[in-house]
């Protein structure tokens, strides 16, 4: 017994989450069996696992998961391509920062879901409106902090350092600006990825006919709550994987080598 306790303590990062998961599954199973609710309303964990096996066997779960990941990836990368250069530009050009930052701060609090009607009207039905919504959800958090937070003044200081060393434009970007802003950028991108993953599920419920959001909506209409829960579980699992990938990317930067 003491050896088991020592092993559990040494591996508590694995043991404690496993215990929590086991307790939650036990409560779920007991509630499904003895609550009196119909299995069509509140399926048990064993039913959900069996339904997940069905969706895996017919390829539907993989197809919907890939569709959601594709939309998140495209929207996320488009946001990164536009937001980071814009943030650097606003940090260097004070006049443009004064002109554009109020507009960015005005648009940033608007939920991407509020754009759904316009996205459908502009882009129709398919991947484009979903990608557009993910782009919006990732764009503003990535570039919206260059106004009153002081980062614009910090970036101007970097350019003064570059001028003292007589760096050319490319050397300024690669040796001064990017290394200086990279810790904040990587942290922001990790948070932004999570926001994009949340938005894609809602976007898929209205604008497309594939993806985990569509799977949940279609299963609800068919009264297959077990499939609904499978979709929810996949959203959670893939969200953990994406966050772990971004966490590892953040930790690759020397200034962010610290445990979370």
């Amino acid at each position: 017994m003491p050896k088991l306790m020592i092993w559990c303590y040494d591996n508590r990062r694995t043991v404690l989450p496993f215990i929590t998961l086991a307790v939650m599954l036990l409560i779920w199973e007991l509630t499904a069996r003895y609550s009196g609710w119909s299995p069509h309303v509140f399926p048990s964990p064993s039913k959900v696992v069996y339904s997940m096996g069905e969706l895996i066997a017919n390829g539907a779960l993989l197809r919907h998961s890939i569709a959601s990941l594709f939309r998140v990836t495209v929207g996320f990368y488009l946001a990164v391509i536009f937001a980071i250069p814009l943030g650097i530009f606003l940090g260097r050009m004070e006049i443009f920062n004064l002109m554009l930052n109020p507009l960015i701060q005005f648009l940033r609090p608007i939920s991407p879901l509020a754009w759904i009607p316009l996205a459908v009207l502009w882009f129709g039905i398919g991947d484009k409106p979903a990608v557009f919504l993910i782009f919006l959800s990732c764009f503003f958090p990535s570039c919206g902090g260059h106004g009153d937070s002081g980062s614009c003044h910090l970036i101007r200081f970097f350019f003064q350092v570059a001028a003292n060393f007589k760096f050319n434009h490319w050397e300024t970007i690669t040796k001064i600006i990017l290394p200086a802003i990279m810790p904040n950028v990587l942290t922001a991108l990790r948070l932004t990825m999570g926001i994009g993953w949340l938005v894609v599920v809602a976007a898929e419920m209205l604008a497309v006919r594939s993806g985990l959001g569509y799977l949940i909506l279609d299963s609800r209409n068919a009264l297959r709550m077990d499939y609904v829960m499978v979709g929810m579980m996949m959203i959670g699992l893939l969200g953990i994987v994406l966050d772990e990938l971004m966490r590892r990317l953040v930790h690759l930067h020397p200034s962010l080598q610290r445990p979370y």
Side-chain angles (χ1 to χ4, degrees), residues 15-112:
V15 174
L16 293 179
F18 178 79
I19 293 175
T20 301
L21 178 61
V23 171
M24 289 182 61
L25 289 176
L26 178 61
I27 294 174
W28 181 4
E29 183 71 32
L30 293 175
T31 304
R33 289 189 179 187
Y34 301 108
S35 64
W37 291 340
S38 169
H40 298 290
V41 176
F42 192 77
S44 64
S46 55
K47 175 61 177 176
V48 173
V49 171
Y50 178 80
S51 300
M52 179 179 286
E54 290 181 343
L55 292 175
I56 293 175
N58 60 28
L61 188 59
L62 178 61
R63 183 174 68 253
H64 290 303
S65 299
I66 291 177
S68 294
L69 289 171
F70 168 77
R71 294 176 187 120
V72 171
T73 301
V74 174
F76 176 77
Y77 278 114
L78 286 175
V80 170
I81 290 172
F82 286 98
I84 294 179
L86 178 62
I88 296 175
F89 177 76
L90 294 180
R92 184 177 185 184
M93 303 301 231
E94 182 179 5
I95 182 66
F96 288 101
N97 182 67
L98 294 175
M99 292 171 59
L100 297 179
N101 185 64
L103 177 62
I104 293 176
Q105 298 303 324
F106 172 77
L107 295 174
R108 184 167 60 90
I110 300 176
S111 171

Side-chain angles (χ1 to χ4, degrees), residues 155-166:
I155 290 178
R156 285 198 296 272
F157 170 75
F158 294 154
F159 279 98
Q160 294 172 2
V161 172
N164 291 336
F165 283 95
K166 297 181 180 181

Side-chain angles (χ1 to χ4, degrees), residues 179-180 182-184 186 250-258:
M182 194 56 63
N184 291 334
L186 290 176
V250 168
H251 279 232
L252 290 178
H253 196 276
S255 64
L256 293 174
Q257 298 292 327
R258 65 177 184 270

Side-chain angles (χ1 to χ4, degrees), residues 162 165-177 179:
F165 283 95
K166 297 181 180 181
F167 285 165
N168 58 35
H169 182 71
W170 177 250
E171 289 175 331
T172 301
I173 296 295
T174 57
K175 295 183 179 180
I176 299 294
I177 301 303

